[in-house]
Amino acid sequence: MAVPPQSAARVEVLRLPAGASERDELAVEEPLEIRIGGRPIAVTMRTPGHDEELALGFLRSEGVRAVTARPTADLAANAIEVEVDGVFDAGRLQRNFYTSSSCGVCGKGALEAVAVEAARVTSDLTVPSDLVSTLPARLRESQPTFAATGGLHATGLFEPDGTAVCVREDVGRHNALDKVVGFAVREGLLPLARKILCVSGRLSFELVQKAAVAGCPIMVAVGAPSTLAVELARDRGVTLCGFVRDGRVNVYSGPERIL
């Protein structure tokens, strides 16, 4: 699978202890400005590619009814114009810093904030644990830029039979998930009541928040969840599977969906 042209760049690197200088590939990181009505309302650092999806997914996760995204009228580099359905509050479009483990905001306040935008997921989807255990490997097969650089996160959207619907990579794990949600917006797939999300790293509160807003019933990760991520998943009815590797699955919430 070829590396997308904008996602990696070659740089000179000194390799020790051999002392040899070689060319190496690094993941690209650049800012993306998101505009509504020509007005800049957010900037996120991302790996270029699927920028329209990123803008749509980011805004949907923040409770804004973003419907379409396109290059800006002035064709500015690293900028996307988004059309929204109805009015929006620009003050709410800042990243929700209560998701940081060091912010000092209580878990109860965070859960209540998410509940405003995310209805409880009531999907009756069930999948075998054997299938769940294969998803990280299936995700890894669709990560060409990670294979070249070792520096990107990924999120995959899967059918209940394990078929990959969409895989996106990004230097930011939140951005990778936003790109997948944005893809779902463009394809008319929301809510994701019959789909599975798989992420390449750990499960933070904000990733579970995005899955809940998208209406996805099952979320799978290679790494560990945080306590608040598990609390949110249980509160919003999301099945959370962590440490999914080597045939093992730890189910932290919603075990009734895993057979």
Coordinates of all heavy atoms in Angstrom, one line a residue, residues 173-259:
R173 N -4.2 11.2 17.6 CA -5.2 10.0 17.6 C -6.6 10.6 17.6 O -7.5 9.9 17.0 CB -4.9 9.2 18.9 CG -5.2 9.8 20.2 CD -4.9 8.9 21.3 NE -5.2 9.4 22.6 CZ -4.3 10.1 23.4 NH1 -3.1 10.3 22.9 NH2 -4.6 10.6 24.5
H174 N -6.8 11.8 18.1 CA -8.2 12.3 18.1 C -8.5 12.7 16.6 O -9.7 12.5 16.2 CB -8.3 13.6 19.0 CG -7.9 13.3 20.4 ND1 -6.7 13.9 20.9 CD2 -8.5 12.6 21.3 CE1 -6.6 13.5 22.2 NE2 -7.6 12.7 22.5
N175 N -7.5 13.2 15.9 CA -7.8 13.6 14.5 C -8.1 12.4 13.6 O -8.9 12.4 12.7 CB -6.5 14.3 13.9 CG -6.3 15.6 14.5 OD1 -7.2 16.2 15.1 ND2 -5.1 16.1 14.4
A176 N -7.4 11.2 13.9 CA -7.7 10.0 13.1 C -9.1 9.6 13.3 O -9.8 9.2 12.3 CB -6.7 8.9 13.6
L177 N -9.6 9.7 14.5 CA -11.0 9.4 14.7 C -12.0 10.4 14.1 O -13.0 10.1 13.5 CB -11.3 9.2 16.2 CG -12.7 8.8 16.7 CD1 -13.3 7.7 15.9 CD2 -12.8 8.5 18.2
D178 N -11.6 11.7 14.2 CA -12.4 12.7 13.6 C -12.5 12.5 12.1 O -13.6 12.7 11.5 CB -11.8 14.1 13.8 CG -12.1 14.7 15.2 OD1 -13.1 14.2 15.9 OD2 -11.4 15.6 15.7
K179 N -11.5 12.1 11.5 CA -11.5 11.8 10.0 C -12.5 10.7 9.7 O -13.2 10.8 8.7 CB -10.1 11.5 9.5 CG -9.1 12.7 9.5 CD -7.7 12.3 9.0 CE -6.8 13.5 8.9 NZ -5.5 13.1 8.4
V180 N -12.5 9.6 10.5 CA -13.4 8.5 10.3 C -14.9 9.0 10.5 O -15.7 8.7 9.7 CB -13.1 7.4 11.2 CG1 -14.2 6.3 11.1 CG2 -11.8 6.7 10.8
V181 N -15.1 9.8 11.5 CA -16.5 10.3 11.7 C -16.9 11.2 10.6 O -18.0 11.2 10.1 CB -16.5 11.1 13.1 CG1 -17.9 11.8 13.2 CG2 -16.3 10.1 14.2
G182 N -15.9 12.0 10.1 CA -16.2 12.9 9.0 C -16.5 12.1 7.7 O -17.4 12.5 6.9
F183 N -15.8 11.0 7.5 CA -16.1 10.1 6.4 C -17.6 9.6 6.6 O -18.3 9.6 5.6 CB -15.2 8.9 6.4 CG -15.6 7.7 5.6 CD1 -15.3 7.7 4.2 CD2 -16.3 6.7 6.1 CE1 -15.7 6.6 3.4 CE2 -16.7 5.6 5.3 CZ -16.4 5.6 4.0
A184 N -18.0 9.2 7.8 CA -19.3 8.7 8.0 C -20.4 9.8 7.7 O -21.5 9.5 7.2 CB -19.4 8.2 9.4
V185 N -20.0 11.0 8.1 CA -20.9 12.2 7.8 C -21.2 12.3 6.3 O -22.3 12.4 5.8 CB -20.4 13.5 8.3 CG1 -21.2 14.7 7.8 CG2 -20.4 13.5 9.9
R186 N -20.1 12.2 5.5 CA -20.2 12.4 4.1 C -20.9 11.3 3.4 O -21.6 11.4 2.4 CB -18.8 12.6 3.4 CG -18.0 13.8 4.0 CD -16.6 13.9 3.4 NE -16.7 14.7 2.1 CZ -15.6 15.0 1.5 NH1 -14.4 14.6 1.8 NH2 -15.7 15.8 0.4
E187 N -20.8 10.1 4.0 CA -21.4 8.9 3.4 C -22.8 8.6 3.9 O -23.4 7.6 3.6 CB -20.5 7.6 3.6 CG -19.2 7.7 3.0 CD -19.3 7.8 1.5 OE1 -20.1 7.0 0.9 OE2 -18.5 8.6 0.8
G188 N -23.3 9.5 4.8 CA -24.6 9.3 5.4 C -24.7 8.1 6.3 O -25.8 7.5 6.4
L189 N -23.7 7.7 7.0 CA -23.7 6.5 7.9 C -24.0 6.8 9.3 O -24.2 5.8 10.1 CB -22.3 5.9 7.8 CG -21.8 5.4 6.4 CD1 -20.4 4.8 6.5 CD2 -22.8 4.4 5.9
L190 N -24.1 8.0 9.7 CA -24.4 8.3 11.1 C -25.9 8.1 11.4 O -26.7 8.4 10.6 CB -24.0 9.7 11.5 CG -22.5 10.0 11.5 CD1 -22.3 11.5 12.0 CD2 -21.7 9.1 12.4
P191 N -26.3 7.5 12.6 CA -25.4 7.1 13.7 C -24.8 5.7 13.3 O -25.4 4.9 12.5 CB -26.3 6.9 14.9 CG -27.6 6.7 14.3 CD -27.7 7.4 13.0
L192 N -23.6 5.4 13.9 CA -22.9 4.2 13.6 C -23.4 3.0 14.4 O -22.6 2.2 15.0 CB -21.4 4.4 13.8 CG -20.8 5.5 13.0 CD1 -19.3 5.7 13.4 CD2 -20.8 5.2 11.5
A193 N -24.7 2.7 14.4 CA -25.3 1.8 15.3 C -25.0 0.3 15.0 O -25.1 -0.6 15.8 CB -26.8 1.9 15.3
R194 N -24.5 0.0 13.7 CA -24.2 -1.3 13.3 C -22.7 -1.4 12.9 O -22.3 -2.2 12.0 CB -25.0 -1.8 12.1 CG -26.5 -1.7 12.4 CD -27.0 -2.6 13.5 NE -26.8 -4.0 13.2 CZ -27.1 -4.9 14.1 NH1 -27.6 -4.6 15.3 NH2 -26.8 -6.2 13.8
K195 N -21.8 -0.6 13.5 CA -20.4 -0.5 13.1 C -19.6 -0.7 14.4 O -20.0 -0.5 15.5 CB -20.1 0.8 12.4 CG -20.8 1.0 11.1 CD -20.3 0.1 10.0 CE -20.9 0.5 8.7 NZ -22.4 0.2 8.5
I196 N -18.3 -0.9 14.2 CA -17.3 -1.0 15.2 C -16.1 -0.1 14.9 O -15.7 0.0 13.8 CB -16.7 -2.5 15.3 CG1 -17.8 -3.5 15.4 CG2 -15.7 -2.6 16.5 CD1 -17.4 -4.9 15.2
L197 N -15.7 0.6 16.0 CA -14.5 1.5 15.8 C -13.3 0.8 16.5 O -13.4 0.2 17.6 CB -14.7 2.8 16.5 CG -15.6 3.8 15.7 CD1 -16.0 5.0 16.6 CD2 -14.9 4.4 14.5
C198 N -12.1 0.9 15.8 CA -10.9 0.3 16.4 C -9.8 1.4 16.3 O -9.6 2.0 15.2 CB -10.5 -0.9 15.6 SG -9.0 -1.7 16.3
V199 N -9.1 1.6 17.4 CA -8.1 2.6 17.5 C -6.7 2.0 17.8 O -6.7 0.9 18.4 CB -8.4 3.7 18.5 CG1 -9.7 4.4 18.1 CG2 -8.5 3.2 19.9
S200 N -5.6 2.6 17.3 CA -4.3 2.0 17.4 C -3.6 2.1 18.7 O -2.6 1.5 19.0 CB -3.4 2.5 16.3 OG -3.3 3.9 16.4
G201 N -4.1 3.0 19.6 CA -3.4 3.3 20.9 C -4.3 3.0 22.1 O -5.1 2.1 22.1
R202 N -4.2 3.9 23.0 CA -5.0 3.8 24.2 C -6.4 4.5 24.1 O -6.6 5.2 23.1 CB -4.3 4.4 25.4 CG -4.1 5.9 25.4 CD -3.3 6.4 26.5 NE -3.1 7.8 26.5 CZ -3.9 8.7 26.9 NH1 -5.1 8.3 27.5 NH2 -3.7 10.0 26.8
L203 N -7.3 4.2 25.0 CA -8.6 4.8 25.0 C -8.7 5.9 26.0 O -8.8 5.7 27.2 CB -9.6 3.7 25.3 CG -9.9 2.8 24.1 CD1 -10.7 1.5 24.6 CD2 -10.7 3.4 23.0
S204 N -8.7 7.2 25.5 CA -8.9 8.3 26.4 C -10.4 8.7 26.5 O -11.2 8.2 25.7 CB -8.1 9.5 25.9 OG -8.6 9.9 24.7
F205 N -10.7 9.5 27.4 CA -12.1 10.0 27.6 C -12.6 10.6 26.3 O -13.7 10.4 25.9 CB -12.1 11.1 28.7 CG -13.5 11.7 28.9 CD1 -14.4 11.2 29.8 CD2 -13.8 12.9 28.2 CE1 -15.6 11.8 29.9 CE2 -15.0 13.5 28.4 CZ -15.9 13.0 29.2
E206 N -11.8 11.4 25.6 CA -12.2 12.2 24.5 C -12.5 11.2 23.3 O -13.5 11.5 22.5 CB -11.2 13.2 24.0 CG -11.7 14.1 22.9 CD -10.8 15.3 22.6 OE1 -9.7 15.4 23.2 OE2 -11.2 16.1 21.7
L207 N -11.8 10.2 23.2 CA -12.1 9.2 22.1 C -13.4 8.5 22.3 O -14.2 8.3 21.4 CB -10.9 8.2 22.0 CG -9.6 8.7 21.5 CD1 -8.6 7.5 21.4 CD2 -9.7 9.4 20.2
V208 N -13.7 8.2 23.5 CA -15.0 7.5 23.8 C -16.1 8.5 23.6 O -17.2 8.2 23.1 CB -15.0 7.0 25.3 CG1 -16.3 6.4 25.6 CG2 -13.9 5.9 25.4
Q209 N -15.8 9.8 24.0 CA -16.8 10.8 23.7 C -17.2 10.9 22.3 O -18.4 11.0 21.9 CB -16.2 12.2 24.2 CG -17.1 13.4 23.8 CD -16.3 14.7 23.9 OE1 -15.2 14.7 24.4 NE2 -16.8 15.8 23.4
K210 N -16.2 10.9 21.4 CA -16.4 11.0 20.0 C -17.2 9.8 19.5 O -18.1 9.9 18.6 CB -15.1 11.1 19.2 CG -14.4 12.4 19.5 CD -13.0 12.5 18.8 CE -12.3 13.8 19.1 NZ -12.9 15.0 18.5
A211 N -16.9 8.6 20.0 CA -17.6 7.4 19.6 C -19.1 7.5 20.0 O -20.0 7.1 19.3 CB -17.0 6.2 20.2
A212 N -19.3 8.0 21.2 CA -20.7 8.1 21.8 C -21.5 9.1 20.9 O -22.6 8.8 20.6 CB -20.6 8.5 23.2
V213 N -20.9 10.2 20.6 CA -21.6 11.2 19.8 C -21.9 10.6 18.4 O -23.0 10.9 17.9 CB -20.7 12.5 19.6 CG1 -21.4 13.5 18.6 CG2 -20.6 13.2 21.0
A214 N -21.0 9.8 17.9 CA -21.3 9.2 16.6 C -22.3 8.0 16.7 O -22.7 7.4 15.7 CB -20.0 8.7 16.0
G215 N -22.7 7.6 17.9 CA -23.6 6.5 18.1 C -23.0 5.1 17.8 O -23.8 4.2 17.5
C216 N -21.7 5.0 18.1 CA -21.1 3.7 17.8 C -21.2 2.8 19.1 O -20.7 3.2 20.1 CB -19.6 3.9 17.4 SG -18.9 2.3 16.9
P217 N -21.6 1.6 19.0 CA -21.9 0.7 20.2 C -20.6 0.0 20.7 O -20.6 -0.4 21.8 CB -22.9 -0.3 19.7 CG -22.7 -0.4 18.2 CD -22.2 0.9 17.8
I218 N -19.6 -0.2 19.8 CA -18.4 -1.0 20.2 C -17.2 -0.3 19.8 O -17.0 0.1 18.7 CB -18.4 -2.4 19.6 CG1 -19.7 -3.2 20.0 CG2 -17.2 -3.2 20.0 CD1 -19.8 -4.5 19.4
M219 N -16.2 -0.1 20.8 CA -15.0 0.5 20.5 C -13.8 -0.4 21.0 O -13.9 -0.9 22.2 CB -14.9 1.9 21.2 CG -13.8 2.8 20.8 SD -14.0 4.4 21.4 CE -12.9 5.3 20.2
V220 N -12.9 -0.6 20.2 CA -11.8 -1.6 20.4 C -10.4 -0.8 20.4 O -10.3 0.1 19.5 CB -11.8 -2.7 19.3 CG1 -10.6 -3.6 19.5 CG2 -13.1 -3.4 19.4
A221 N -9.5 -1.2 21.2 CA -8.2 -0.5 21.2 C -7.1 -1.5 21.6 O -7.3 -2.5 22.3 CB -8.2 0.6 22.3
V222 N -5.9 -1.2 21.1 CA -4.7 -2.0 21.4 C -4.3 -1.8 22.8 O -3.8 -2.7 23.5 CB -3.6 -1.7 20.4 CG1 -2.3 -2.5 20.8 CG2 -4.0 -2.0 19.0
G223 N -4.5 -0.5 23.3 CA -4.0 -0.1 24.6 C -5.0 -0.1 25.7 O -6.1 -0.6 25.5
A224 N -4.7 0.6 26.8 CA -5.5 0.6 27.9 C -6.5 1.8 27.9 O -6.2 2.8 27.3 CB -4.7 0.7 29.2
P225 N -7.7 1.7 28.6 CA -8.5 2.8 28.8 C -8.2 3.5 30.0 O -7.5 2.9 30.9 CB -9.9 2.2 28.8 CG -9.7 0.9 29.5 CD -8.3 0.4 29.0
S226 N -8.6 4.8 30.2 CA -8.5 5.5 31.4 C -9.8 5.2 32.2 O -10.8 4.7 31.7 CB -8.4 7.0 31.2 OG -9.6 7.5 30.6
T227 N -9.7 5.5 33.5 CA -10.9 5.3 34.4 C -12.1 6.1 33.9 O -13.2 5.6 33.9 CB -10.6 5.7 35.8 OG1 -10.1 7.0 35.9 CG2 -9.5 4.8 36.4
L228 N -11.8 7.4 33.5 CA -13.0 8.2 33.1 C -13.5 7.8 31.7 O -14.7 7.9 31.4 CB -12.5 9.7 33.0 CG -13.7 10.7 32.9 CD1 -14.6 10.6 34.0 CD2 -13.1 12.1 32.9
A229 N -12.7 7.2 30.9 CA -13.1 6.6 29.6 C -14.1 5.5 29.9 O -15.1 5.4 29.2 CB -12.0 6.1 28.8
V230 N -13.8 4.6 30.8 CA -14.6 3.5 31.2 C -15.9 4.0 31.8 O -17.0 3.5 31.5 CB -13.9 2.5 32.1 CG1 -14.9 1.5 32.7 CG2 -12.7 1.9 31.5
E231 N -15.8 5.0 32.6 CA -17.0 5.6 33.3 C -18.0 6.2 32.2 O -19.2 6.0 32.3 CB -16.6 6.6 34.3 CG -17.8 7.1 35.1 CD -17.4 8.1 36.2 OE1 -16.1 8.2 36.4 OE2 -18.2 8.7 36.9
L232 N -17.4 6.9 31.2 CA -18.2 7.5 30.2 C -18.8 6.4 29.3 O -20.0 6.4 29.0 CB -17.4 8.4 29.3 CG -18.1 9.0 28.1 CD1 -19.3 9.8 28.5 CD2 -17.1 9.8 27.2
A233 N -18.1 5.3 29.0 CA -18.6 4.2 28.2 C -19.8 3.6 28.8 O -20.8 3.3 28.2 CB -17.5 3.2 27.9
R234 N -19.7 3.3 30.1 CA -20.8 2.7 30.9 C -22.0 3.6 30.9 O -23.1 3.2 30.8 CB -20.3 2.3 32.3 CG -19.3 1.2 32.3 CD -18.7 0.9 33.7 NE -17.8 -0.2 33.7 CZ -17.1 -0.6 34.7 NH1 -17.2 0.0 35.9 NH2 -16.3 -1.7 34.6
D235 N -21.7 4.9 31.1 CA -22.8 5.9 31.2 C -23.6 6.0 29.9 O -24.8 6.2 29.9 CB -22.2 7.2 31.6 CG -23.3 8.3 31.8 OD1 -24.1 8.2 32.8 OD2 -23.4 9.2 30.9
R236 N -22.8 5.9 28.7 CA -23.4 6.2 27.4 C -23.8 4.9 26.7 O -24.2 4.9 25.5 CB -22.5 7.1 26.6 CG -22.3 8.5 27.1 CD -23.6 9.3 27.0 NE -24.4 9.2 28.2 CZ -25.7 9.5 28.3 NH1 -26.3 10.0 27.2 NH2 -26.3 9.4 29.4
G237 N -23.5 3.7 27.3 CA -23.9 2.5 26.6 C -23.0 2.0 25.5 O -23.4 1.4 24.6
V238 N -21.7 2.4 25.7 CA -20.7 1.9 24.7 C -19.9 0.8 25.2 O -19.4 0.8 26.4 CB -19.7 3.1 24.3 CG1 -18.6 2.6 23.4 CG2 -20.5 4.3 23.8
T239 N -19.7 -0.3 24.4 CA -18.9 -1.4 24.8 C -17.5 -1.1 24.5 O -17.1 -0.7 23.4 CB -19.3 -2.7 24.0 OG1 -20.7 -3.0 24.4 CG2 -18.4 -3.9 24.3
L240 N -16.6 -1.2 25.6 CA -15.2 -0.8 25.5 C -14.3 -2.0 25.7 O -14.4 -2.7 26.7 CB -14.9 0.2 26.6 CG -13.9 1.3 26.3 CD1 -14.4 2.1 25.1 CD2 -13.8 2.3 27.5
C241 N -13.5 -2.3 24.7 CA -12.6 -3.4 24.7 C -11.1 -2.9 24.6 O -10.8 -2.2 23.6 CB -12.8 -4.4 23.5 SG -14.5 -5.1 23.5
G242 N -10.3 -3.1 25.6 CA -8.9 -2.7 25.6 C -8.0 -3.8 25.7 O -8.3 -5.0 25.9
F243 N -6.7 -3.5 25.5 CA -5.6 -4.5 25.5 C -5.9 -5.7 24.5 O -5.7 -6.8 24.9 CB -5.3 -5.0 26.9 CG -4.6 -4.1 27.8 CD1 -5.2 -3.6 28.9 CD2 -3.3 -3.6 27.5 CE1 -4.5 -2.7 29.8 CE2 -2.7 -2.7 28.3 CZ -3.3 -2.3 29.5
V244 N -6.5 -5.3 23.4 CA -6.8 -6.3 22.4 C -5.6 -6.7 21.6 O -5.2 -6.0 20.7 CB -8.0 -5.8 21.5 CG1 -8.4 -6.9 20.5 CG2 -9.2 -5.4 22.3
R245 N -5.0 -7.8 22.0 CA -3.8 -8.3 21.3 C -3.5 -9.7 21.6 O -4.0 -10.2 22.7 CB -2.6 -7.4 21.8 CG -2.3 -7.5 23.3 CD -1.2 -6.6 23.8 NE -1.6 -5.2 23.8 CZ -0.9 -4.2 24.4 NH1 0.2 -4.5 25.0 NH2 -1.3 -3.0 24.4
D246 N -2.8 -10.4 20.7 CA -2.4 -11.8 20.9 C -3.6 -12.7 21.3 O -3.5 -13.6 22.2 CB -1.4 -11.9 22.0 CG -0.1 -11.1 21.7 OD1 0.2 -11.1 20.5 OD2 0.5 -10.5 22.6
G247 N -4.8 -12.4 20.7 CA -6.0 -13.3 21.0 C -6.7 -12.9 22.3 O -7.7 -13.6 22.6
R248 N -6.3 -11.9 23.0 CA -6.9 -11.5 24.3 C -7.7 -10.3 24.1 O -7.4 -9.4 23.3 CB -5.9 -11.3 25.4 CG -5.0 -12.5 25.6 CD -4.1 -12.3 26.9 NE -3.3 -11.1 26.8 CZ -2.1 -11.0 26.3 NH1 -1.6 -12.1 25.8 NH2 -1.4 -9.9 26.3
V249 N -8.8 -10.2 24.9 CA -9.7 -9.1 24.9 C -10.1 -8.7 26.3 O -10.7 -9.6 27.0 CB -11.0 -9.3 24.0 CG1 -11.9 -8.1 24.0 CG2 -10.6 -9.7 22.6
N250 N -9.9 -7.5 26.8 CA -10.4 -7.1 28.1 C -11.7 -6.2 27.8 O -11.6 -5.2 27.2 CB -9.4 -6.3 28.8 CG -8.2 -7.1 29.4 OD1 -8.2 -8.3 29.2 ND2 -7.3 -6.4 30.0
V251 N -12.8 -6.6 28.3 CA -14.1 -5.9 28.1 C -14.4 -5.1 29.4 O -14.6 -5.7 30.5 CB -15.2 -6.9 27.8 CG1 -16.5 -6.1 27.5 CG2 -14.9 -7.8 26.6
Y252 N -14.4 -3.8 29.3 CA -14.5 -2.9 30.4 C -15.9 -2.4 30.6 O -16.3 -1.9 31.7 CB -13.5 -1.7 30.3 CG -12.1 -2.1 30.4 CD1 -11.4 -2.4 29.2 CD2 -11.4 -2.2 31.6 CE1 -10.0 -2.8 29.3 CE2 -10.1 -2.5 31.6 CZ -9.4 -2.9 30.5 OH -8.1 -3.2 30.6
S253 N -16.7 -2.5 29.6 CA -18.1 -2.0 29.7 C -18.9 -2.7 28.6 O -18.4 -3.1 27.6 CB -18.2 -0.5 29.5 OG -17.8 -0.1 28.2
G254 N -20.2 -2.9 28.8 CA -21.1 -3.5 27.8 C -20.7 -4.9 27.4 O -20.7 -5.2 26.2
P255 N -20.4 -5.8 28.3 CA -20.0 -7.1 27.9 C -21.0 -7.9 27.2 O -20.7 -8.9 26.5 CB -19.6 -7.8 29.3 CG -20.4 -7.1 30.3 CD -20.5 -5.6 29.8
E256 N -22.3 -7.6 27.3 CA -23.3 -8.3 26.6 C -23.2 -8.3 25.1 O -23.8 -9.1 24.4 CB -24.7 -7.8 27.1 CG -25.1 -6.4 26.6 CD -24.5 -5.3 27.4 OE1 -23.8 -5.6 28.4 OE2 -24.7 -4.1 27.1
R257 N -22.4 -7.3 24.6 CA -22.3 -7.3 23.1 C -21.1 -8.2 22.6 O -21.0 -8.4 21.4 CB -22.0 -5.8 22.7 CG -23.2 -4.9 22.9 CD -23.0 -3.6 22.1 NE -24.1 -2.7 22.3 CZ -24.1 -1.6 23.0 NH1 -23.0 -1.3 23.7 NH2 -25.2 -0.8 23.2
I258 N -20.3 -8.7 23.5 CA -19.2 -9.6 23.1 C -19.5 -11.0 23.4 O -19.7 -11.4 24.6 CB -17.9 -9.1 23.8 CG1 -17.7 -7.6 23.6 CG2 -16.7 -9.9 23.2 CD1 -17.6 -7.1 22.2
L259 N -19.6 -11.8 22.4 CA -20.0 -13.2 22.5 C -18.8 -14.2 22.7 O -17.7 -13.9 22.2 CB -20.8 -13.7 21.3 CG -22.0 -12.8 21.0 CD1 -22.7 -13.3 19.7 CD2 -23.0 -12.8 22.1

